[in-house]
Amino acid sequence: EVQLVESGGGLVQPGGSLRLSCPASGFLFSSYWMSWVRQAPGKGLEWVANINPDGSEKHYVDSVKGRFTISRDNAKNSLYLQMNSLSAEDTAMYYCGRVWQWLCDSWGQGTLVTVSS
Amino acid sequence: DIQMTQSPSTLSASVGDRVTITCRASQSISSWLAWYQQKPGKAPKLLIYQASSLESGVPSRFSGSGSGTEFTLTISSLQPDDFATYYCQHYDRYSWTFGQGTKVEMK
């Protein structure tokens, strides 16, 4: 069974940083693209970033380029999202997901990031 | 950038109803279209991929159709477990774009 468990969310001040983690199990992590998707409170889904199996190819939504960095550690079966220069617009539930045929077929339960002073 | 527009935003229906949700792309996306179901407080669940392929384990009352710029998700006979929000998604190697969602609520 695929398991993805996000952690690292919390309350952070505007301009601050946060690092999300997503350890994975139940599948061969090093063979899959992985993704982060977020959802602001009461709003729809927004794709954030994808990363290829060896970490050499990364893609981001324009609104986070230069501020967020997706990475992975295949030895630890873990996905990460380093978030810098956070603003209120980044407040959301952040989900990590396994990518299959260029879409997300398995999701974690999410971790909530709140940016507020 | 490709924009995805769903309609309606909210749909009121009863158990047993046939329900159709539409998703339009701002330019042709071939069949690179998925549908997800999301319930409050839960992660989305993949229902349909490649516009019309049913994900394993998803009930056959769900179906998808379309290609190019216009797509539909149909629930042939709405069940109590189907009241939820549905999202379409364009996907490719480089980016994903979601529709704004359609909430299916009880009439």
Side-chain angles (χ1 to χ4, degrees):
Chain A
E1 178 192 4
V2 174
Q3 287 206 333
L4 301 165
V5 183
E6 303 91 336
S7 64
L11 177 63
V12 61
Q13 292 191 337
S17 299
L18 217 52
R19 189 194 195 207
L20 307 183
S21 299
C22 178
S25 61
F27 65 102
L28 189 57
F29 180 77
S30 59
S31 294
Y32 285 83
W33 284 69
M34 296 295 293
S35 179
W36 287 99
V37 172
R38 67 184 179 182
Q39 186 170 34
K43 302 297 184 182
L45 301 168
E46 180 183 37
W47 168 70
V48 174
N50 287 352
I51 186 169
N52 74 336
D54 68 7
S56 62
E57 185 175 341
K58 305 173 185 181
H59 302 285
Y60 300 91
V61 67
D62 284 349
S63 60
V64 309
K65 284 179 181 176
R67 300 189 300 123
F68 289 12
T69 302
I70 189 172
S71 64
R72 64 192 298 159
D73 185 336
N74 287 341
K76 295 182 178 179
N77 289 339
S78 290
L79 177 72
Y80 305 100
L81 185 68
Q82 177 67 42
M83 304 185 295
N84 299 330
S85 302
L86 286 162
S87 70
E89 288 68 40
D90 298 313
T91 293
M93 183 73 76
Y94 284 74
Y95 296 99
C96 74
R98 186 181 76 168
V99 178
W100 169 80
Q101 294 197 15
W102 305 121
L103 52 79
C104 200
D105 72 335
S106 296
W107 303 67
Q109 84 291 345
T111 187
L112 182 62
V113 173
T114 303
V115 184
S116 176
S117 55
Chain B
D1 292 355
I2 295 173
Q3 307 298 319
M4 307 300 295
T5 305
Q6 287 181 234
S7 60
S9 296
T10 306
L11 188 159
S12 298
S14 302
V15 172
D17 284 353
R18 182 181 181 87
V19 168
T20 299
I21 299 169
T22 298
C23 179
R24 290 186 174 86
S26 59
Q27 64 189 72
S28 176
I29 59 170
S30 184
S31 295
W32 298 107
L33 193 283
W35 291 96
Y36 295 88
Q37 176 194 67
Q38 188 181 33
K39 296 181 179 179
K42 300 293 186 181
K45 173 187 174 184
L46 177 63
L47 300 175
I48 302 284
Y49 61 95
Q50 279 296 99
S52 60
S53 296
L54 193 68
E55 172 71 345
S56 176
V58 174
S60 59
R61 62 180 180 274
F62 291 93
S63 65
S65 65
S67 67
T69 61
E70 188 149 339
F71 303 85
T72 58
L73 172 70
T74 299
I75 309 173
S76 60
S77 178
L78 194 68
Q79 299 301 300
D81 191 49
D82 301 338
F83 291 100
T85 299
Y86 295 84
Y87 294 93
C88 65
Q89 178 206 20
H90 163 56
Y91 59 95
D92 64 23
R93 182 187 186 101
Y94 304 104
S95 70
W96 296 353
T97 306
F98 291 92
Q100 80 277 18
T102 295
K103 183 178 181 180
V104 176
E105 62 180 23
M106 202 172 299
K107 183 185 288 185

